[in-house]
């Protein structure tokens, strides 16, 4: 955390701070004074202000122009050949371009449609109601005349004499070409132009419409219309009865319509359309179901693949941000999705191909296209799916990276040492900076610098800071700040410091916890040298990245030479005293500390922490980059090849290596899959029990190391729900696919992949067995 | 100012707003070209568009699980097809996009046909042009003129195409046209009329310098399309024919099936992207095979030709038996255009030479037609300077061995026109503004339109201008993109009387 502070020393005299007057740059100690000054001296001359501002703006402009000019020149230089890389497209043309003009006619369209639809809907509903009336009585038992009477009551029939020709086909009606009435609209057609609504269809239409219209009370509802319809329509029927008496005689010759209702094909058309709509509503074809799943898988891949690629890239670079096994698991998962996509699209491709008659060519084309797209998708994405390094290879990579980083670290150190030297020289030549302003509310408080921040040196040690765990060092620094803050009665800053301290303590606790883990693990098992190396490096790496927060693993070996803890407190205190004057000599470093805020309580806890401090190892090498206070140290540690500490550091690395081999907590997980279950996700959880006495136990919960644990079992549980969905057939297909992949991988001798795939295959076969069992 | 992107954005917007699910794209003949130029098949498949259908195709089955995106030109036939479609919908839902302005009455007719309420969107998306390159568009129209005036249907199509470009780029321009061409004026007025009528559509954010539309006529520069163009893109067009960035190789004997139609797209073909504007000779080494083919096709006895310094050698050239018929004709055409009014013109004897060679009647007639089309009488500007002529012939005869000299020898007239325009020196007397107002500053956004077709060489000129003059953005368009052959067809259709027009150059005729 200290690393985020700005450098403690500013360039000399460049930056003024305090309550400066914006116009004359006079420092006026407090806000009130500044206000007074401004009102007295500068009131009314805002012209002056404007002038000042203008000046500033002009300066800024000039600087900008300069920059732009340089920019432009650069572009002119590179432009000529660059443009061909843009695919013959001029980069100037690729300015962000918004969507071209559009105009919507939807409102107008809807307006016209609504008028039309209302009409249409009324028509169709009328037909349905009539259909309901026509089917609400028992047709089979009633005799033809009675049926006719009811039918006529539903809709008035057109007069026979009014229609000499069939309105549809134009044929003349006579004794052989007789008139037929549509039962739904009453119009007259010839026999050829007649249609029939079968009763089941009628029932379906009525039910479907009813469901759509009113959800409840339908049975009783359906019962009521015949009564009303019969009575009111009955009147109509009797009125027309005499007119159509002749036709009623002739109708005896007609076959009785038991199972169907006569209607003209106009009405039939409308009904059929309605029926089609009803059918579509609750029918999802197979292809849609499969397709939806296919898309789901594709989305999953889109979501997971980038994650995997990130991991693989990092791992291939020898970084230890991710775990090789987690990545492997993710790879398997993604591959499983690919197989699913493949299998699903294959299913879609072959849908209905064995049907008779075969599907429409366009349907087949659609299926082919979906399959083709899926293949493209898999090809494209699978190509980007780089392989993971093998375990051996990964070790090599990590080793290489480690060396590189050490080198870089050395260089950085050297650089900081040099700048530090330079700064200190300039410090010496510089007159002490006057503090600007005190707190008016607390005039008698010990004199503190307003610019904020506390000297770490008040009582913390520096001379041997390289030896210390940076975490401890920081804790001590903060403790010293706290003391200073309390003395100055800055409650807000105290609180802030407390907070910082607590965090540090938590981290430290974790460190302790892992120490305990290390111990217990050491006793637990002897593991292969390689695995130990691997894990150690990873932890080391992680620590490198996250700084003191995860120092934990590094201090593992320390307890091996545990010494009485209390003794160190004094030692550090004395060290601190030694350094105090030195640090105070450079007051400007004070500014480096950002503002801190309030609270008040923690000394007891602090003390207790002190009691638990373990002797820190030679951690200066790493600590230095995080802790700005190290820079106060004038002894050039890294520069000196004969530095006693460099020996120390090296030795420590060796120690770490050896130590890890013996008690790596992760080892057993890696080696023995069957044991993976009993090592629960968080290795720290279990260990908390073993370190029962740890007073800071609760703190270890938010360990950052937990998140990367590969053995959460996530991989399996994530993949399984999907597997459940897979039918046997799909499984079989998948197995086939994987076999093909294995073959392919073997051919191109990607052995690691073969391994993964065979594992995958086994898993699938097990799932298949289970599925089969379930069936029985 | 990127026409390709403009169309792409339109189409992806259409696809996006239809939501997830399987889709079918319903198009007409022209919109099929419009879409296929900017999107490749696999690209659009990734957007879940699996089927591409012609609106007028009878062979479509009902597939209620598909969503239909209709991208159609607002023609009468299309509206009629659409009405039929909506009466008996084959797909679950319809998103309708017209590529240009559609009338209110047609909207009403469509709405009344939509009894099943399957239409979810009705919009105008102005992608009514073929975006060949980011700064080059075509309307794929051949035979736009009849004599010296517009073929009526072509004028309206050109107007639609041009206005849709303006709308897609969101430009409401000032218009200049070539005074010597009546067709330019007519088109300018027609475009202006649309802008006035649809003023609320053209109500874009005002830029400091208003954009400029300059309308030119091919007849002002009939030489450029007669010359070989030496860039890859132009070459391919010249030798193989490039239609909507597609090469049709189906007539090449023994061609494998998957090469029947080759797509050249800068988006997908890196080689093409990097070389499309390169001089053919410069990339010659990369495509040795193609070059060898080329040389087989054009055996011209180059050693002999390199010493040509005088137009009189044309005759000797013509006697060269290895010169192909079309090349011979082109040669004479160039000569005729150059020395049209020259006192000692040997054109008649050259024509004799042609007939002695057995050049067909049709081709010989073309020479006359070209002069008629692009002769001095027609030209508004001084096309050929004396030094130019020599350079032109040189370029024409140079084979691949001399390519480095060929490069940049001929600058199309368009280059000079543009150059003057950008510098603010283009004469109002030759290129007047339509309307009273004129541009005081130098133009920044320029849209050029060449009636009678642009060429890839001009596209190259525009491309180079775009690159070399920052702050200026130019888009070139034409009623089509010509190679020599298609240009000659254009000339023939313009100069022959409507009765004996070649059938191939009818309305929207294909180029070959």
């Amino acid at each position: 955390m200290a690393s985020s502070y700005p450098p403690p020393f500013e360039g000399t005299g460049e930056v003024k701070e305090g309550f400066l007057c914006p116009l004359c740059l006079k420092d006026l100690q407090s806000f009130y004074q500044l206000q007074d000054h401004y009102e007295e001296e500068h009131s009314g001359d805002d012209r002056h202000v404007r002038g000042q501002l203008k000046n500033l703006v002009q300066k800024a402009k000039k600087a900008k122009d300069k920059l732009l000019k340089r920019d432009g020149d650069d572009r002119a230089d590179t432009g000529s050949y660059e443009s061909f890389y843009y695919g013959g497209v001029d980069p100037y043309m690729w300015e962000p371009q918004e969507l071209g003009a559009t105009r919507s006619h939807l409102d107008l369209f809807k307006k016209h449609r609504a008028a039309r639809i209302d009409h249409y809907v009324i028509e169709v509903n009328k037909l349905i109601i009539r259909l309901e009336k026509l089917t609400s009585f028992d047709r089979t038992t009633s005799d033809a005349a009675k049926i006719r009477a009811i039918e006529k009551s539903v809709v008035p029939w057109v007069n026979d004499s009014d229609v000499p020709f069939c309105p549809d086909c134009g044929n003349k009606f006579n004794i052989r070409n007789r008139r037929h009435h549509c039962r739904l609209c009453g119009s007259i057609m010839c026999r050829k132009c007649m249609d029939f609504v079968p009763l089941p269809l009628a029932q379906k239409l009525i039910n479907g419409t009813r469901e759509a219209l009113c959800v409840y009370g339908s049975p009783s509802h359906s019962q009521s219309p015949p009564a009303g319809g019969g009575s009111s329509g009955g009147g109509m029927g009797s009125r027309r009865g005499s007119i159509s008496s002749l036709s009623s005689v002739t109708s005896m010759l007609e076959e009785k319509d038991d199972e169907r209702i006569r209607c003209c094909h106009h009405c039939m058309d409308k009904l059929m359309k309605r029926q089609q709509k009803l059918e579509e509503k609750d029918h999802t074809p197979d292809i849609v179901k499969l397709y939806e799943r296919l898309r789901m898988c594709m989305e999953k891949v889109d979501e997971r693949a980038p994650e995997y690629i990130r991991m693989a890239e990092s791992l291939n670079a020898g970084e230890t941000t991710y775990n090789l096994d987690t990545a492997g698991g993710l790879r398997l998962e993604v591959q499983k999705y690919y197989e699913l996509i493949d299998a699903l699209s294959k299913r879609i491709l072959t849908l209905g191909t064995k049907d008779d008659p075969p599907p429409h060519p366009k349907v087949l084309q659609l299926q082919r296209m979906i399959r083709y797209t899926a293949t493209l998708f898999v090809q494209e994405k699978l190509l980007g799916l780089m392989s993971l390094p093998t375990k051996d290879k990964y070790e090599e990579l990590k080793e290489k990276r480690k060396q590189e980083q050490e080198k870089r670290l050395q260089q950085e150190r050297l650089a900081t040492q040099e700048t530090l030297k330079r700064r200190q020289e300039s410090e010496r030549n510089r007159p002490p900076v006057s503090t600007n302003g005190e707190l008016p509310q607390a005039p008698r408080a010990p004199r503190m610098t307003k610019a904020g921040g506390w000297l770490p040196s008040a009582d913390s040690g520096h001379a041997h800071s390289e030896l210390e765990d940076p975490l401890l060092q920081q804790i001590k620094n903060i403790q010293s700040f706290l003391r200073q803050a309390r003395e100055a009665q800055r409650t807000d800053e105290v609180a802030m410091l407390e907070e910082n301290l607590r965090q540090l303590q938590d981290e430290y606790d974790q460190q302790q916890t892992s120490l305990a883990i290390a111990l217990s693990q050491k006793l637990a098992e002897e593991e292969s040298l390689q695995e130990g190396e691997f894990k150690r490096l990873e932890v080391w790496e992680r620590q490198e990245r996250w700084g003191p927060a995860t120092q934990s693993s590094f201090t593992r070996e320390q307890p091996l030479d545990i010494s009485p803890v209390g003794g160190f407190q004094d030692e550090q205190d004395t060290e601190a005293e030694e350094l105090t004057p030195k640090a105070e000599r450079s007051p400007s470093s004070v500014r480096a500390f950002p503002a801190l805020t309030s609270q008040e309580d923690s000394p007891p806890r602090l003390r207790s922490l002190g009691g638990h401090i373990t002797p820190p190892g030679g951690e200066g090498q790493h600590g230095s980059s995080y802790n700005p206070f190290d820079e106060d140290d004038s002894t050039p540690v890294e520069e000196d090849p004969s530095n006693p500490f460099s020996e120390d550091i090296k030795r420590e690395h060796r120690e770490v290596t050896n130590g890890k081999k013996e008690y790596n907590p992760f080892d057993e997980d890696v080696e023995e899959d069957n044991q993976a279950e009993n090592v629960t996700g968080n290795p720290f959880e279990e260990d908390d029990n073993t370190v029962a006495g740890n007073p800071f136990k609760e703190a270890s919960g938010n360990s950052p190391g937990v998140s990367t644990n590969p053995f959460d079992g996530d991989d399996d549980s994530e993949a399984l729900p999907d597997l459940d969905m897979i039918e046997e057939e799909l499984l079989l297909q998948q197995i086939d696919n994987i076999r093909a992949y294995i073959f392919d991988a073997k051919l191109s001798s990607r052995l690691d992949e073969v391994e993964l795939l065979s594992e995958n295959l086994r898993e699938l076969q097990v799932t298949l067995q289970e599925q089969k069992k379930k069936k029985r | 100012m990127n026409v390709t992107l403009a169309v792409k954005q339109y189409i992806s917007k259409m696809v996006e707003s239809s939501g997830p699910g399987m889709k079918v794209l319903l198009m007409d003949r022209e919109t099929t070209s419009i879409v296929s130029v900017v999107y490749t098949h696999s690209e659009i498949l990734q957007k879940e568009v699996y089927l591409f259908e012609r609106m007028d195709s009878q062979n479509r089955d009902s597939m209620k699980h598909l969503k239909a995106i209709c991208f159609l030109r607002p023609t009468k036939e299309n509206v009629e097809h659409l009405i039929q479609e909506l009466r008996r919908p084959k797909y679950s839902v319809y998103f309708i996009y017209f590529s240009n302005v559609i009338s209110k009455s047609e909207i009403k007719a469509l709405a009344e046909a939509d009894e099943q309420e399957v239409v979810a969107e009705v919009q105008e998306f102005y992608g009514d042009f073929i975006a060949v390159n980011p700064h080059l568009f075509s309307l794929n129209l051949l035979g736009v003129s009849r004599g010296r005036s517009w073929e009526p249907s072509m004028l309206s199509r050109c107007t639609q195409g041009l206005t849709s470009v303006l709308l897609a780029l969101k430009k409401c321009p000032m218009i200049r046209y070539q005074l010597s061409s009546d067709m330019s004026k007519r088109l300018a007025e027609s475009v202006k009329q649309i802008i006035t009528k649809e003023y609320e559509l053209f109500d874009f954010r005002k830029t400091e310098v208003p954009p400029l539309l300059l309308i030119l006529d091919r007849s002002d520069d009939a030489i450029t399309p007669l010359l070989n163009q030496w860039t890859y893109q132009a070459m391919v067009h010249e030798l193989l024919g490039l239609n909507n960035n597609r090469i049709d190789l189906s007539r090449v004997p023994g061609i494998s099936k998957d090469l029947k139609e080759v797509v050249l797209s800068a988006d997908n073909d890196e080689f093409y992207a990097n070389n499309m504007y390169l001089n053919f000779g410069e990339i010659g080494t990369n495509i040795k095979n193609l070059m060898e083919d080329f040389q087989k096709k054009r055996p011209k006895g180059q050693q002999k030709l390199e010493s040509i310094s005088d137009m009189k050698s044309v005759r000797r050239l013509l006697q060269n038996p290895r010169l192909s018929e079309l090349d011979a004709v082109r040669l004479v055409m160039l000569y005729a255009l150059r020395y049209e009014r020259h006192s000692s013109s040997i054109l008649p004897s050259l024509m004799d030479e042609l007939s002695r060679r057995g050049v067909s009647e049709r081709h010989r007639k073309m020479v006359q037609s070209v002069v008629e089309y692009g002769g001095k009488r027609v030209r508004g500007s001084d096309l050929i300077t004396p030094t130019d002529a020599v350079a032109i012939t040189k370029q024409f005869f140079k084979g691949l061995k001399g390519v480095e000299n060929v490069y940049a020898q001929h600058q199309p007239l368009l280059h000079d026109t543009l150059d003057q325009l950008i510098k603010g020196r283009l004469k109002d007397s030759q290129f007047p503004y339509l309307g009273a107002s004129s541009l005081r500053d130098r133009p920044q956004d320029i849209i050029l339109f060449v009636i009678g077709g642009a060429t890839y060489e001009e596209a190259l000129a525009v491309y180079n201008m775009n690159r070399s003059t920052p702050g200026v953005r130019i888009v070139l368009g034409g009623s089509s993109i010509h190679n020599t052959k298609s240009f000659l067809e254009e000339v023939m259709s313009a100069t022959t009387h409507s009765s004996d027009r070649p059938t191939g150059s009818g309305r929207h005729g294909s180029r070959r």
Side-chain angles (χ1 to χ4, degrees), chain A residues 716-728:
Chain A
D716 294 337
S717 60
E718 285 232 21
L720 278 173
D722 279 317
L723 284 174
D724 287 340
M725 282 161 44
I726 310 169
E727 300 99 319
E728 227 172 284

Side-chain angles (χ1 to χ4, degrees), chain A residues 84 95 101 105 113 291, chain B residues 9-10 48 114 124 274 473:
Chain A
F84 288 114
E95 84 217 16
H105 290 291
R113 182 172 67 183
Y291 181 77
Chain B
Q9 281 179 335
Y10 272 139
E48 294 188 85
D114 184 23
E124 288 170 9
N274 292 331
R473 289 167 300 187

Side-chain angles (χ1 to χ4, degrees), chain B residues 132-150:
Chain B
V132 182
N133 289 342
H135 61 267
L136 177 66
F137 66 92
S138 163
L139 300 178
N140 278 9
L141 300 175
L142 214 53
V144 291
S145 59
R146 194 179 289 196
R148 313 247 16 107
S149 58
W150 278 99

